[in-house]
Amino acid sequence: MQTMLQTEQVTLTPKMAHQLLTNNENNRNLRMSVVEKYARDIINNEWKLTGEPIQIDWNGNLINGQHRCQAVILADKSIDVFIISGLDPKTQSVIDVSVKRTAVDALRWAGFNGDLTIISSLARLDTFHRSNSRFHTGTTTGALVSLTHSEIVDWANEHSDEAFSAARFGQQHYKAIGANPSLVAFARMLTNRVDELASDIFWSEIVEMRTSGLGDPRLTLIRTLAARKDADKNTPIGAQLFYMLRAWNAWRMGEVLQKMPILS
């Protein structure tokens, strides 16, 4: 039954969220990764009141806002939201068709400039690295932790100097190295944390092709990545990191490295 549109600002409690979810028919599939991201922001007091309302049709069905409701329940913490009710049920088909804000947008609005796509990737890579998870040669981007925009901005603030320096290097020299620019930046960041002077020598001599010839781990790295590219092989991020860090460790130890392991 059609009714007048009503808009109000309310405090969405876990109890209210439960009630709204009891009338949640024909909504899109719930994505728990999104729920968990929202819940982390709520728990960390990073959730902001925006103009995007929770939407209810004139039959009382929740047509937009199930992820926020589930996040409030998961966080067991209330948030302020706008609720608009009395909508035509057909409006559900056109919700969320506009362009979504990205992490790059969030970083730019926070005052950052530069290679923000790489910075966003570095935040995910470093958070994964610092967690209990481990990179394996078959690790893909899908395995990385999904961060909220607030978490990415917080990471960028905390690691600003090393991250932006590494990002510039990755963007400028990834073609010479033959790896993904974000992964080159991340590998550079990791080696800098171990020994910044040695790291500078390691990477600059790779870029300038000032290696010692056959057996030099840096030349072996470049040739391995180039061979995989020539063979049109899609190298997982875990394998790319493995090759770069294997070369770094071998070079620091003075090890002769004629070839890299063959990875699928």
Side-chain angles (χ1 to χ4, degrees):
M1 175 180 172
Q2 185 172 357
T3 60
M4 293 286 291
L5 290 178
Q6 293 184 337
T7 303
E8 58 181 336
Q9 180 181 335
V10 303
T11 298
L12 180 64
T13 65
K15 181 178 179 180
M16 184 185 298
H18 271 294
Q19 292 171 340
L20 289 172
L21 288 168
T22 60
N23 295 305
N24 186 32
E25 299 177 2
N26 301 320
N27 217 323
R28 58 184 172 178
N29 292 334
L30 187 73
R31 291 175 291 172
M32 278 308 299
S33 62
V34 174
V35 173
E36 290 167 356
K37 285 168 61 177
Y38 288 178
R40 291 199 303 271
D41 270 355
I42 292 170
I43 291 170
N44 295 326
N45 296 319
E46 295 284 358
W47 188 266
K48 302 293 188 288
L49 175 65
T50 69
E52 183 179 2
I54 287 177
Q55 299 170 4
I56 301 170
D57 70 19
W58 61 50
N59 296 317
N61 291 317
L62 177 67
I63 60 175
N64 186 27
Q66 65 170 343
H67 288 89
R68 281 169 284 176
C69 287
Q70 292 284 5
V72 164
I73 293 169
L74 181 61
D76 194 26
K77 190 173 181 179
S78 303
I79 60 173
D80 290 332
V81 298
F82 287 103
I83 292 182
I84 183 169
S85 57
L87 290 164
D88 185 333
K90 294 179 181 178
T91 60
Q92 188 172 31
S93 64
V94 296
I95 291 173
D96 289 339
V97 296
S98 58
V99 177
K100 293 290 186 182
R101 271 63 171 175
T102 66
V104 169
D105 293 327
L107 287 164
R108 186 174 294 111
W109 293 330
F112 292 108
N113 295 292
D115 301 303
L116 300 183
T117 299
I118 295 180
I119 295 298
S120 175
S121 296
L122 286 177
R124 295 182 66 202
L125 288 162
D126 195 41
T127 301
F128 183 88
H129 174 65
R130 291 169 179 269
S131 70
N132 292 328
S133 304
R134 298 189 62 178
F135 285 102
H136 300 283
T137 55
T139 299
T140 63
T141 53
L144 300 182
V145 63
S146 181
L147 300 179
T148 68
H149 293 174
S150 294
E151 288 171 331
I152 290 173
V153 170
D154 287 345
W155 184 91
N157 279 316
E158 183 178 352
H159 301 277
S160 178
D161 290 342
E162 65 168 350
F164 280 88
S165 174
R168 284 192 296 273
F169 179 84
Q171 184 59 50
Q172 291 170 359
H173 302 299
Y174 73 96
K175 290 182 180 179
I177 296 167
N180 176 282
S182 295
L183 297 178
V184 171
F186 184 52
R188 175 68 188 257
M189 197 165 70
L190 292 179
T191 57
N192 279 359
R193 289 174 179 174
V194 175
D195 186 330
E196 190 168 355
L197 178 59
S199 175
D200 186 58
I201 296 171
F202 176 81
W203 292 107
S204 63
E205 291 188 350
I206 286 178
V207 171
E208 296 165 7
M209 283 300 293
R210 290 190 290 115
T211 69
S212 302
L214 293 178
D216 187 319
R218 298 166 298 180
L219 180 60
T220 303
L221 167 66
I222 295 171
R223 289 187 170 182
T224 300
L225 291 172
R228 291 187 67 90
K229 183 177 181 180
D230 291 342
D232 199 25
K233 291 186 177 181
N234 185 19
T235 309
I237 64 171
Q240 292 183 59
L241 280 173
F242 169 81
Y243 288 138
M244 288 186 281
L245 297 179
R246 175 71 180 92
W248 159 255
N249 287 326
W251 176 79
R252 288 187 72 226
M253 297 296 294
E255 177 185 346
V256 173
L257 188 64
Q258 297 281 1
K259 62 181 181 179
M260 292 284 191
I262 299 175
L263 303 176
S264 58

